[in-house]
Amino acid sequence: MKIAVAKGDGIGEEIMQAVLRIFNAAKVPLEYVPVEMGKYIYDRGHSTGMTAEAKNTIELLGILFKGPMETPKGKGVKSINVTARKVWNTYANKRNFKSLTGVESVFSKAGIPINITIIRENIEDTYGGIEHKLTPDVALCRRFVTRPGSLQVHRYAFETARRKGAHKVTCGHKANIMKMTDGIFLETFYETAKDFPDISANDVIVDDLAMKLVVKPNEFDILVLPNLQGDIISDLCAGLVGGLGFAPSANIGDNISIFEAVHGTAPDIAGKNIANPTALLMSGIMMLRHIGLNESAAKIENALLCTLEQGIHTSDFGKAGTTSLNTTEYADAIINNIGNLPHEAAPTMAVAQDKLTHKPPVKPAGNIMKESRTQKEEILGVDFFIESNEQPRQVARKFLDVISSDFELLLISNRGTQVWPTGSIFTECIDQYQVRVLSRDDKPVSQEDILREAVKTAGHFKICSLEMLMNYDGVKSFSLAQGQ
Ligand code: NAI
């Protein structure tokens, strides 16, 4: 089987070389097709950070094993790492955090073993990076959370629990505050849990989760989180098991999957042959299991565990006062341990012989359209986001003068806090208001009715954006203002 390999930038080349040498020494039955992606490709004038050949190869083979890649600083360039995950719909980002003998952490010293898997939603949330400056003082980032996207990631989390033999999946969220977005994430979590009665499901608010992970990390097994919260919580978990050098990750999609370390290009140590290749090696082991090469994965994992038990380490970890090896020597030590089993850690057993299960993607005729539900929908009004540095009552006065009699001015808020008709004189305001205009007696209106109101409003204010106020199956689907 062929897979695509991108060495990446910074330490990428050194650690990828080390990992592929270990794979070859373990006789992993794979052929590596190099693809060109990363900062050095941007620098050659490819605005997407990858060549057309690289894109074709990855779409043909379906598996990309990649080193870290640098996003050029400055405006107008998106991260190649995030783009790759989104373009190929790798909806679940799986990150394993496990205590390893030879890798010291506060918890290993206390004899508390950790074995946490985080499944992070990988496409949506603020990571869409859809941002606008609405006024010179106000920036807005749109946060999409969708039902199909959430269902996909939750299903993968429960399936992972089954494969891992885990008994519990915990959903982290902030649905108490973000009732619509995180609300969808939480609702679809329990909906999915019904299909997995053998696995218990619970949820924790993400700030409480952060505290619990630091106090009692051994109580968690599989965690599923929205994109940004999952990103932050997974770095916290990396800290629990010894740092980013031991944090592997897999970006799983139905057609294309990407395997990479959590860490970046480490520009401070690039080119010195001292980087730790363990996280990339562990990502490679996840990849081998994903495509069915369980025996190869177990052989390499055992060699790694033996090496760590022997106290062998690169300069970023290990016992103080012991000599550290460079990247090449560290890889050699792992190669020398191929065929050996660890003594302290339980050896990893192959659940089956190597048997490739990966099927290259079949090109669909068009973009796949995910579930779209038909619900009775009505427009009840509109939120205008307008620029103004006038007092709330002056803004209200102008709206009351212009809106037609079919509508009423319900409220005005500033940064989500109601300032009209009631509010506190101590609420500080910036130059942007949300003005909610509702149809009288909840009578449904048309898009054209809303646009007519918008035209009248535009005579008095700059409209930065507007959102329709929707009723789906009789449920009002918009948030209240703070203090409403
Ligand atoms: P970083 O992870 O590259 O480095 C943070 C610190 O950890 C540095 O001190 C570095 O020397 C150390 N470190 C990281 N990996 C190491 C390893 N394998 N062995 C030993 N030490 C290691 O994070 P930073 O500095 O924030 O980002 C650098 C660049 O990497 C940026 O351009 C960023 O955009 C990119 N990046 C790429 C990622 C990816 O390709 N998936 C992920 C994160 C960052």
Side-chain angles (χ1 to χ4, degrees), residues 236-250:
L236 184 154
C237 288
L240 299 179
V241 296
L244 282 178
F246 302 91
S249 108

Side-chain angles (χ1 to χ4, degrees), residues 11 66 68-70 81 260 262-266 268-269 276:
I11 57 169
K66 71 177 271 297
M69 291 173 192
E70 181 184 336
N81 303 304
E260 61 181 339
V262 171
H263 63 72
T265 59
D268 49 337
I269 57 167
N276 177 1

Side-chain angles (χ1 to χ4, degrees), residues 102 104 310-325:
E104 283 199 345
Q310 290 159 0
I312 292 169
H313 61 90
T314 45
S315 58
D316 55 307
F317 75 104
K319 275 212 164 62
T322 57
T323 313
S324 58
L325 301 188

Side-chain angles (χ1 to χ4, degrees), residues 9 14 106 108 128 140 371 435 441 451 458-460:
D9 303 306
E14 301 152 51
V106 174
S108 68
L140 171 80
E371 171 192 18
V435 180
D441 306 320
L451 291 178
H460 295 270

Side-chain angles (χ1 to χ4, degrees), residues 31 106 136 166 178 185 195 352 354 435:
E31 196 180 314
V106 174
M178 291 172 280
F185 196 75
D195 292 341
D354 279 355
V435 180

